[in-house]
Each structure stands twice: as C-alpha cells, then as structure tokens.
Amino acid sequence: MSDLLQPLPRWIDVGVIPVLNVSMAMIVSSILLLVVGIEPVEAVTIMLHGAFGYDEGIGYTLYYATNFVFTGLAVAIAFHAGLFNIGGEGQAYIGGLGVGLAMLLLDSSMPAFLLLPIALIMAALFGGAWALIPAYLQAYRGSHIVITTIMFNFIASAIMVYLMVNVLIMPGQQSPQTREFAESAQLPFMHEVFAWFGVNISQSPLNLSIVWAVICCIGLWLFIWRSRWGYETRAVGFNEKAAVYGGINPKRVVLISMCISGALAGFVGFNEISGVHHRLILNFTAGYGFTGIAVSLMGRNHPVGIVLASLLFGMLYQGGAELAFEVPTVTREMVVAIQGFVILFSGALAYMSTPFLTRLYNRWK
Amino acid sequence: MKLLHKLATASTILMLSSAALAVDIKPAVVFDMGGKFDKSFNQGVYDGVERFKTETGISYREFEVTNEAQREQAIRKMAQRGLSPIIGVGFAQGPAIEKVASEYPNLKFTIIDSVVDLPNVQSVVFKEHEGSFLVGILAAMSSKTGKVGYIGGMDIPMIRAFGCGYAQGVKMADPSIEVIQNMTGTTPTAWNDPGRGAELSRGQFDRGVDIIYAAAGGTGVGVYQAAKDAGKMAIGVDSNQNHIHPGTMLTSMLKRVDVAAYNSYKAAYEGNWKAGIHVLGLKEDGVGWALDEHNASMITDAMKAKVEQARADVISGKIKVHDYRSNNACDI
C-alpha cells in the first residue's frame, strides 16, 4: 500500500516537518508549564523577548548560535561521509587548548593581526588532530567511530584537567585557569566592533567569530556540493561499496572528513577562548558538542538548515535562561526539560510524522 | 470586612515602621553549576539566605547558572536591577563578579571562596585545611587498621587542600598511619557521582582503610552508604552530615558558607556591611568539626581533648597547617 504513495516533496520535508516537530515540543512543554502553574503563552513571550527582544539578548542568542553552527557543521560533514562524530565536545575542548597554548606562548611578542589567524589555525589543527586518531582507528583498524569519539571526549577532559590543575594554572589561584591573554590576543567583541563605527550596543559575549562561522557555512557548502572531495565524501556516505567501485578510497575520505569535522568543532574553542574568556578555563565547551548533533539532525545536515537550527537552539538557551531569571518558579531543570523536548521531537523523533504526512499529502494532492 | 481592611493596613504600617530601623535591601544570589540543592556547598548558601528571608521577611532574587557564559550574564542582570548585595557562590564566579562589580561601584557584592580586590566586594574565603586537619586527627585516633582514606570530588587545588590538611592531621596524631587518597574525577560530574564514590570507597576498604573523609559534594552520599554497608566509618563535609548514618559518621568537617551568606545580607540590612577579604578559619569559627547526639558515642574524651588542644594550638599559631594552595604542593 505504502509503496504506491508518492514521497513527500522537499518543501514539506525541510519546511513543514521541522516546524511541526517544534510545535509538538512546544505543546508538550506547555503541558509541563501548566502543571507547574505557569501560563505557557506568558512563558513563551518571555523566552522570545529574552532571546530577540533587546540587543543584549540578541547578542547572547547569536553567541550560542555561533557555537552551534560550528558543532552542527562538524556533525554534518561527518554525517555526509556516513560517520557519526559524537566527539565534538572533546574536539572543541582540545581545539581550545591549542588556542590557549599558542596565545600563552606568543601573546607577548606578536601583534593582533598575526595572533588571531594563528589562534584560528591552532583551533583547527588541534581539533582536527583529535578527530584524526578515531578516524584512523575507524579506517584502518575497524574500531567503531561512535565508541572511539565518545571515549576521546573523556580523554580530552582528563588531559585538560591535568594540564589546568598541574601545569597551566596561574599560581596563587583557587580555580584552575591560566593568566589572561594580552590585549592583542583577544578577538574583539561585537559591541567593541560596533563602537568603532560609533554605534553603541550592550555588552554580550558575541564576538567576531560569528563572521568566521558564516564563512565556514559557505565553505562547507562549497566543499560538500561543489568539490570533488565533497562528491567523494557523499559517495562514501551513500554507499561505500559503490564508491570503491567508482575508484574512491573510502579510508582517505574517512580521514579527510573527520579532520574537517574536528577542525570545525575546534572553532568552538576559538569562539570561547579567543573571543569570550581570553584565558584557558575548564568546561568552556558546556555541552555544545552534543547539542551540535541535534542541530545537525534538525538542519538536515545542510548549512542553511544548521544556521536556522542553531538560531533556534541559541534562542532556547538564552530565552530559557531569561525565563528562569524572570519567573522564580521555573527552575533551570525545567528549562533543560523544554530544551530536551525540542531535541527529542526534532532529533530523535524527527521523522515520526512522516508516514502520516505522506498519507495526508497523497490524499489531498 | 472593613475591620479586616483596617487590620491589614495597621499591620502593614507596623511592618513598615519596624523595617524602617533597618536598611531596605533587595538582595540577590547567583548559585553555581551544582545547583542550590546539591546537599553541600550551594545548599549551604541557600540555607543561609533562606534563614535571612524567614527572619526578616525580605525575599531575594536567585539564579542557577548552567554554563560558563551565564555567570557574568546573571550577575549583570541582577546589578542592572539595582539588587544589592549580590552573592556569587564559588570561586568560578570570581572573574564575573570582578567585572560586574567594577561596572557598578555603588552596589555591594559578596564572593564566596575567592578573592576579588575591589572597594565594593566582600570576599569570603575559608581555611578548609584547618578544619580538615582536625578531622584528620579524629580519623587517626579512630582507625584500628592503621590506614585512613580521603576521597575528593573534582581534582582542583581547593580539594587537594582539603586532603592535604587532613593528611597533616592524621600524621600529627600518629605518623605511622598511612593516608590513601583518591579523586572522584576530572569533570564537574565528580561533584555528583555517588556510584563512583561508593566504588572508590570499596576499593579503599579492600586496601585496609577503615575510615574515609569525603570532600566531594553529592558524591559523598555514596561514600557514606558504602561505609555503612561495610561496617566502616566516614567523615562528612561542608554541612553537618552526622545525621545521615548515625554510628557510621564519625564527624563532619564544617565549612560555614551559610553563615557567610547570612552575614552578608544581615550586615547590609543593619547598615554595617564591609568590603574586603574575610578569611574564615578555626579562629573565626568559619570551619570546624561537628559534635552532636549522632556521633557523641564515637568520640572518646581523649579524642575530644586532643582535637580541642590542636584547635587551640592552630588558633594561637603554635601549629601551622600548610595550605596546599600556597605553593601548589603538599609537603608533610
């Protein structure tokens, strides 16, 4: 029966289904809010206003979105090669380590126009190298990449704690953090950039790395759909055996796509360390690597979709914080629950409504 | 109905007039990642501000952060609304408090477990090593196997300072006793991993340890349970945890963050709030050991005498307890 049905057109798949999924998440969240005794409409208004209603809120939303774009793109490129990179968290962590080490070493002797590109390259190099090891193990030793990347998250965390507690810590200091980088190693905040042009906006962690995130989106689109390597990547992702028949070396594809994936995740370190904290600290990745998986799934592994999904998750993070701040009865656990519903419906249950919609579409067509 | 109205008005006026004696304050608190119900550090602050609320009827504004970027954001939001004093819980909030406090020089800020050198910031730090030193003495005197254990939470200098003070106490009471130390983990989940806490405890018991001091937040719950199951002993931390398993809990190392939080609000309320560094050690009763009806039977008179003597010696300066954080090393 169902094989007689026509598949859904693209506009429903990428347009209607995500909206439907978010709506379902919102309905379930509303029930949760009602149970606790909060007006859902009011809650959503607060969230939207907190995320997009004033310049500081927009700044935070875009700052979160920047991280999600990096990790979302990282998951997407691996996904196109048929790989599931769960190691974004660790790759971002190590990418940040690369940035931190380079800046601590060089910031006294170099000007900003040299330091910032170095930071960018270090983030990519370290993040990419951290992904290369699981990629090698997958390609040449058959260790499954899901397992190895998860384990590499823990190794990254352990390395960072060891270095921060024993080696890099600023002496006479309670919390494990390094000294602050020199001014020249700090990526300008957007409120500083705007101030150069005489425009005053409120402070937020949003910095110039958002420009780099946009460049990465365009670059990844060109790579996947307009380059030979991208073609090879997609070929391996669709059908590895067919790709081999077509003269493609899947081992090489695994290595290249994972390195790019790791480098993209590493840019979270660039955003956080060069752009926001200006020093190496622990746990700056804050789960962005894992959320990137949901972002990529929701964005259908396409840069445009990832940007939209990142904005949604940025809104959830910033609006959620605003909600917890404004309404004392909303605990942070409830905010996490609402975020969880969105991830559940748009990530894990992404195609739940497809069979139903397909039947509906075929009847009304 | 009218009478009721009058009564209500009268009582309002009464309340207003009594409040007029004190300064009208709008306090706020920003809890850290552990959350206000972590049964340990953050909850201590929560208890303190709740006590202030019930005593004065002044409510406070609160926020629990979930990631690094939110600390500064939350503190700044509190400041934008003119709330004061604003309490930042934990050393991780130090840089954020520093930044926001310099932007709002007219507001009062209190940071717990860190030092921020600004004219409008009150920094409250504790000499955890002194309190740990005392419970180390008690552990050494209670041990029958000649081995005692320490389980820390996340591996950071402060938690090493707990362990270092403890080891010094043990060695002072009996140099032949061996101290076995373990850290729960390297990420913040180490603060809330009772399963792993229990696992580490069983490992230490197998190596002959018969009493474990846990400075690990929520992880400690697992340590205490494992000690109870194995018929060994444990020492609590931060708040008085003696009541959790009477007969198993030898004592608790008290770190009075509740007092620090309460005092900040109270002082602002009474108009005598002072900025500067407040170091709370044994002398200031900021740290100590817990003796109550739950562990009275386990503490002999000899132990009590010895630990009180040590306490007096530390206060007088006769005994110097080395602080791991002073040189990032524990040389005992």
Side-chain angles (χ1 to χ4, degrees), chain A residues 54 56 60 63-64 157 161 165-166 169 174-176 203 277 281-283 286 318 321-322 325-326 332, chain B residues 33-35 61 63-65 67-70 73 76-78 80-81 91 113 155 160 186-188 325:
Chain A
Y54 60 104
E56 187 193 327
Y60 272 91
Y63 149 71
Y64 289 125
S157 170
V161 172
V165 172
N166 294 289
I169 187 171
Q174 285 257 21
S175 56
Q203 283 192 24
H277 301 291
I281 56 169
L282 287 176
N283 308 311
Q318 163 57 15
E322 191 83 3
F325 190 85
E326 293 294 338
R332 58 177 189 170
Chain B
M33 304 264 202
R61 195 141 193 154
F63 187 78
E64 294 173 278
V65 301
N67 67 53
E68 300 284 337
Q70 278 182 357
Q73 184 186 18
R76 181 170 288 120
K77 270 186 162 326
M78 302 283 188
Q80 277 165 355
R81 284 157 205 245
F91 56 76
D113 262 5
D155 192 0
R160 292 192 183 181
T186 50
T187 61
R325 290 161 289 198

Side-chain angles (χ1 to χ4, degrees), chain A residues 17-338:
Chain A
I17 288 182
V19 173
L20 202 69
N21 288 337
V22 174
S23 310
M24 281 193 287
M26 282 301 146
I27 291 169
V28 179
S29 306
S30 300
I31 296 170
L32 178 76
L33 287 167
L34 276 174
V35 169
V36 190
I38 298 156
E39 192 64 46
V41 178
E42 193 199 324
V44 171
T45 314
I46 291 173
M47 280 181 87
L48 284 176
H49 176 77
F52 298 116
Y54 60 104
D55 57 354
E56 187 193 327
I58 296 172
Y60 272 91
T61 304
L62 292 179
Y63 149 71
Y64 289 125
T66 307
N67 281 334
F68 294 141
V69 166
F70 287 138
T71 54
L73 291 177
V75 174
I77 170 83
F79 204 82
H80 279 291
L83 301 165
F84 205 11
N85 178 14
I86 309 191
E89 196 77 5
Q91 289 142 19
Y93 220 172
I94 296 297
L97 174 68
V99 174
L101 289 178
M103 293 304 103
L104 288 171
L105 207 67
L106 303 173
D107 67 349
S108 55
S109 58
M110 277 190 190
F113 70 87
L114 278 178
L115 279 172
L116 296 177
I118 290 176
L120 201 59
I121 292 166
M122 288 298 277
L125 268 182
F126 272 63
W130 200 247
L132 178 65
I133 308 167
Y136 171 83
L137 293 173
Q138 163 84 40
Y140 294 96
R141 291 290 177 270
S143 319
H144 202 284
I145 200 136
V146 169
I147 309 294
T148 43
T149 48
I150 290 179
M151 292 199 292
F152 265 64
N153 288 339
F154 289 100
I155 301 174
S157 170
I159 289 178
M160 281 298 284
V161 172
Y162 172 78
L163 287 177
M164 293 300 296
V165 172
N166 294 289
V167 186
L168 296 170
I169 187 171
M170 189 165 73
Q173 162 79 36
Q174 285 257 21
S175 56
Q177 55 184 25
T178 64
R179 67 174 171 85
E180 192 165 22
F181 307 148
E183 197 93 334
S184 55
Q186 301 181 0
L187 192 63
F189 285 112
M190 281 319 257
H191 57 83
E192 293 168 354
V193 175
F194 274 79
W196 295 341
F197 301 105
V199 183
N200 270 321
I201 57 168
S202 301
Q203 283 192 24
S204 72
L206 182 66
N207 56 67
L208 270 179
S209 57
I210 189 171
V211 178
W212 181 244
V214 174
I215 295 172
C216 283
C217 283
I218 301 168
L220 195 80
W221 181 80
L222 287 174
F223 177 84
I224 294 179
W225 281 282
R226 289 291 179 274
S227 81
R228 210 187 79 191
W229 282 355
Y231 172 77
E232 289 186 358
T233 306
R234 283 181 295 140
V236 171
F238 277 125
N239 188 332
E240 196 178 316
K241 289 200 175 76
V244 174
Y245 185 72
I248 296 167
N249 178 1
K251 290 184 167 63
R252 209 184 62 155
V253 168
V254 168
L255 293 187
I256 291 176
S257 55
M258 275 308 283
C259 278
I260 295 176
S261 177
L264 285 165
F267 292 141
V268 170
F270 178 64
N271 181 21
E272 292 287 329
I273 300 301
S274 282
V276 182
H277 301 291
H278 306 145
R279 60 175 57 168
L280 212 46
I281 56 169
L282 287 176
N283 308 311
F284 59 84
T285 47
Y288 299 126
F290 296 120
T291 314
I293 298 168
V295 168
S296 179
L297 268 173
M298 196 173 178
R300 299 287 188 273
N301 305 310
H302 190 283
V304 175
I306 287 170
V307 168
L308 292 174
S310 298
L311 284 173
L312 175 77
F313 277 90
M315 184 218 105
L316 283 172
Y317 267 57
Q318 163 57 15
E322 191 83 3
L323 185 63
F325 190 85
E326 293 294 338
V327 187
T329 41
V330 175
T331 60
R332 58 177 189 170
E333 284 77 15
M334 282 189 60
V335 174
V336 174
I338 294 173

Side-chain angles (χ1 to χ4, degrees), chain B residues 157-174:
Chain B
M158 185 175 80
I159 292 306
R160 292 192 183 181
F162 275 81
C164 184
Y166 174 70
Q168 290 172 71
V170 171
K171 295 288 180 194
M172 196 211 78
D174 185 350

